[in-house]
Structure formats: structure tokens, C-alpha cells
Amino acid sequence: MPKILFVLTGTDFWTLADGTKHPTGFWAEEAAAPYQAFTAAGYEVVVATPGGVVPTVDRSSLAPEFNGGQEGADKVAAVIASLTELQHPIRLEDVDLADYAAVFYPGGHGPMEDLAVDATSGRLLIEALDSGKPLAVVCHGPAALLAATKDDGTNAFAGYKVAAFTNDEETQSGFADKAKWLLETRLVEAGVDVQVGEPWVPKVVVDRNLITGQNPASSAPLADRVLKELG
């Protein structure tokens, strides 16, 4: 059975500008929807985190208001609870890209804390980009792209068209004035061509083998596009 690698944040907090540690992790829908799509298509999902720590779901992402009501919240919670791969992650440091058909990075604010500065993840992203395999990243997941620095100091994703959680969405979510830095701004500073869509509306951008989504609502369409690329 072919495998798809899910690289998840290993942290359960996000340090805000005032030093407060805001509880977070990965965003439920961004793992659940692609997981369902990939496994239904016959792929095995392998979860990797820095150090192999069990990833934490952001409790906010299980709330009814973020899942179209209680029924939707119950459904996504059930998927996360059944996703046994989350309880048995491998160490990101031990990943061999040759074992996987595609690589996927879900979001949540967690990647802003750890993957944004994780050199191992950065090297994996560069390797995946160079391999031609589908590399999919959604919402705050593109924070990980910031660690993909080449030997000459430039970012490997400079010049790539990318969708990512926007400054407007961060403002509307109430965190823009609390964050140490904003994802859209930092990506632009790294030379990434951020494609800004309407807040909270699904938006998927494809540039070569890089497939990115703007927000949680983009995760299911992004997964569909990955499967299309895999044929």
C-alpha cells in the first residue's frame, strides 16, 4: 500500500508577543479531511513529528462554531479519535522520503512555534520539492516553509505561488495584534509569492509539485488535488 507522510507540529502551545503560551497544536479539520480522502483512495498515512512526540489537537478546532455546528464537530472529533496513526508517530528525523508517494503538512498555530524554525523539516521540504512528488501544505502549515533555507541563505520556496493563512484571517480570528509575527508577512519577506483569497473561502494554489491551501476549508479540496496529481 503506498504511503503519504503527514508532518505535524509537535508543540501544544504558541508563544505570543507578550510571552503568553497560547494552547494550540494541529487543526482538526486539516488532518481529518485529508486523512479520510487519502485512506479512502487506498493510501496508508504515516504521521511524523519532531522527536516523535504524540501531536496535540487544538481543542478550539473541535468546537461547533468551527465545524458548522455540533454534528460537524462530533464528526471531526470522531475522525481524530479514530486516527490511531496520531498516537504512534515516527520521528521526523528518521523520515526517508523514498518511502512516500506524497508529503502533507496540516496547519494549526503549532507550526508557527516549532516547524517554522525546524531545520530537519526544512531539509525534508527542500528534498520533497526537488523530488517532484506532490508536496501539500495548508493554512498555518506554510510556516514550515520558512525553515527551508538553501546553502546560499535564500528560501527554497522563493518565487513559488503559495496559498497560506492570510493577515486578514489572522485579524478576524483575533490573533493578529497578539502574534510575534504574521505568516503572510513573513512568507512575503522570504520571497514567497502569496496568493491571497477571500477570508475563510476555500483556495488551493498549485505551482509545479507544490500544492497549498489557504485555510481549514481548503483542506478537503487540497487533498482532492493531491490525489489527482498522484493519478
Side-chain angles (χ1 to χ4, degrees):
M1 183 182 294
K3 300 176 182 179
I4 293 179
L5 182 70
F6 275 36
V7 180
L8 270 68
T9 177
T11 189
D12 60 3
F13 67 89
W14 175 36
T15 306
L16 302 179
D18 65 358
T20 302
K21 290 185 176 181
H22 175 72
T24 187
F26 69 90
W27 197 259
E29 180 183 0
E30 296 167 25
Y35 176 84
Q36 289 182 299
F38 296 149
T39 54
Y43 289 87
E44 176 186 349
V45 168
V46 175
V47 172
T49 63
V53 302
V54 174
T56 299
V57 63
D58 188 319
R59 304 306 299 180
S60 298
S61 68
L62 300 175
E65 58 264 36
F66 294 119
N67 292 285
Q70 189 61 53
E71 184 179 352
D74 291 344
K75 285 182 178 178
V76 76
V79 174
I80 295 298
S82 70
L83 213 163
T84 56
E85 293 89 344
L86 288 173
Q87 302 306 314
H88 306 283
I90 65 172
R91 287 166 24 98
L92 184 58
E93 296 82 355
D94 296 335
V95 166
D96 183 349
L97 183 63
D99 294 337
Y100 303 97
V103 177
F104 171 56
Y105 278 67
H109 279 115
M112 301 273 283
E113 183 74 24
D114 62 353
L115 296 180
V117 292
D118 191 296
T120 300
S121 172
R123 288 191 294 271
L124 175 64
L125 285 165
I126 293 173
E127 186 182 0
L129 194 65
D130 292 344
S131 75
K133 296 179 179 183
L135 171 59
V137 194
V138 70
C139 200
H140 287 92
L145 308 186
L146 297 171
T149 305
K150 297 191 290 187
D151 291 340
D152 63 2
T154 62
N155 189 281
F157 294 89
Y160 275 79
K161 292 182 171 61
V162 169
F165 202 69
T166 65
N167 289 355
D168 281 347
E169 287 168 321
E170 203 70 87
T171 298
Q172 291 178 28
S173 67
F175 284 106
D177 60 348
K178 301 174 184 177
K180 286 184 177 180
W181 49 273
L182 298 177
L183 179 56
E184 178 190 331
T185 299
R186 188 65 66 85
L187 287 170
V188 170
E189 289 171 353
V192 177
D193 185 1
V194 178
Q195 305 289 295
V196 177
E198 290 296 316
W200 315 113
V201 176
K203 182 177 179 64
V204 174
V205 172
V206 181
D207 190 342
R208 288 154 277 188
N209 60 315
L210 179 64
I211 306 165
T212 51
Q214 179 171 311
N215 44 38
S218 305
S219 26
L222 175 140
D224 290 342
R225 184 57 190 253
V226 171
L227 290 172
K228 181 180 177 182
E229 295 295 326
L230 287 169

